[in-house]
Amino acid sequence: EVQLVESGGALVQPGGSLRLSCAASGFTVSSNYMSWVRQAPGKGLEWVSVIQSGGSTYYADSVKGRFTISRDNSKNTLYVQMNSLRAEDTAVYYCARGASHAEYWGQGTLVTVSS
Amino acid sequence: QSVLTQPPSVSGAPGQRVTISCTGSRSNIGAGYDVHWYQQLPGTAPKLLIYANTNRPSGVPDRFSGSKSGTSASLAITGLQAEDEADYYCQSYDSSLSGWVFGGGTRLTVL
């Protein structure tokens, strides 16, 4: 059974950093396209970043240069390192598996950026 | 402002049929990229409802159907049930952004 479990969400001050994790089971992360998608409170879904099975990475303009997506094959885990956080980064962050679309979603982890 | 445009809300009585539109542009839906639909029940993660324009994952009732034409797509729900009350999002790929794009979401209210 495919499972995705996010962790690492927290309250952080503007300008701070945070790393989110997404532990996968039931499949191999490195063989799949893996994405981060976020949802600000009361708002819609926003794609953040993708790491392709071949290792190429892409980012939304809103996070480019501040966020870094990566994976640890030995732990079968996806990460996103978030630096220079802003109030507008406040959201539930979901990890998802899929190339053209999100076949599977995690339950999400909340990141709040506030002083 | 979302790249894909959806109506903010739709409503219908139990048993009725509703449709939700999703309008894109030449760099996403109009470029031939597939459209996918997700259902998000209150307080939960999104769930894949329709993929590749018209296909239902296992377990999704055939009351849900999708279509695509030109730069737009639609989700139709027939035999509306109270449990269908949720937010619905369309999604595609955009070649100019090199990533997924979503609609702003449509809240379905079952009257």
Side-chain angles (χ1 to χ4, degrees):
Chain A
E1 180 195 4
V2 171
Q3 272 200 315
L4 296 167
V5 179
E6 300 95 335
S7 61
L11 171 64
V12 61
Q13 292 191 337
S17 297
L18 203 60
R19 188 180 80 160
L20 305 183
S21 302
C22 170
S25 58
F27 72 99
T28 302
V29 164
S30 62
S31 298
N32 287 269
Y33 283 41
M34 298 294 298
S35 292
W36 288 97
V37 176
R38 68 184 181 183
Q39 186 171 34
K43 302 296 184 182
L45 302 171
E46 179 189 17
W47 172 76
V48 172
S49 181
V50 63
I51 182 166
Q52 299 178 346
S53 51
S56 297
T57 59
Y58 298 89
Y59 300 89
D61 287 343
S62 57
V63 306
K64 202 171 292 183
R66 300 187 299 123
F67 289 16
T68 302
I69 191 172
S70 64
R71 65 193 181 201
D72 185 328
N73 298 343
S74 66
K75 295 182 179 179
N76 209 34
T77 298
L78 177 73
Y79 301 100
V80 62
Q81 175 68 42
M82 306 186 295
N83 299 329
S84 303
L85 283 162
R86 307 166 180 167
E88 54 264 36
D89 296 318
T90 294
V92 173
Y93 284 74
Y94 297 100
C95 66
R97 186 190 96 170
S100 63
H101 60 279
E103 306 167 298
Y104 297 96
W105 297 73
Q107 86 289 348
T109 187
L110 176 63
V111 173
T112 303
V113 183
S114 174
S115 55
Chain B
Q1 188 111 359
S2 302
V3 173
L4 305 180
T5 301
Q6 298 179 234
S9 64
V10 297
S11 62
Q16 285 191 333
R17 177 181 187 270
V18 297
T19 62
I20 299 172
S21 62
C22 175
T23 302
S25 66
R26 287 180 295 179
S27 60
N28 42 69
I29 300 175
Y33 294 108
D34 288 334
V35 177
H36 319 283
W37 293 89
Y38 304 92
Q39 178 193 59
Q40 187 174 33
L41 297 170
T44 69
K47 166 194 158 186
L48 180 64
L49 196 64
I50 297 287
Y51 68 95
N53 308 315
T54 60
N55 299 281
R56 286 186 309 276
S58 173
V60 173
D62 60 6
R63 302 186 296 105
F64 295 90
S65 63
S67 63
K68 175 192 165 188
S69 178
T71 58
S72 295
S74 288
L75 171 70
I77 310 172
T78 58
L80 211 52
Q81 299 179 4
E83 67 211 48
D84 298 334
E85 198 160 273
D87 293 326
Y88 293 84
Y89 294 90
C90 61
Q91 176 252 311
S92 186
Y93 176 84
D94 193 287
S95 57
S96 63
L97 301 174
S98 298
W100 293 349
V101 288
F102 287 92
T106 299
R107 177 151 295 177
L108 169 63
T109 300
V110 180
L111 302 170

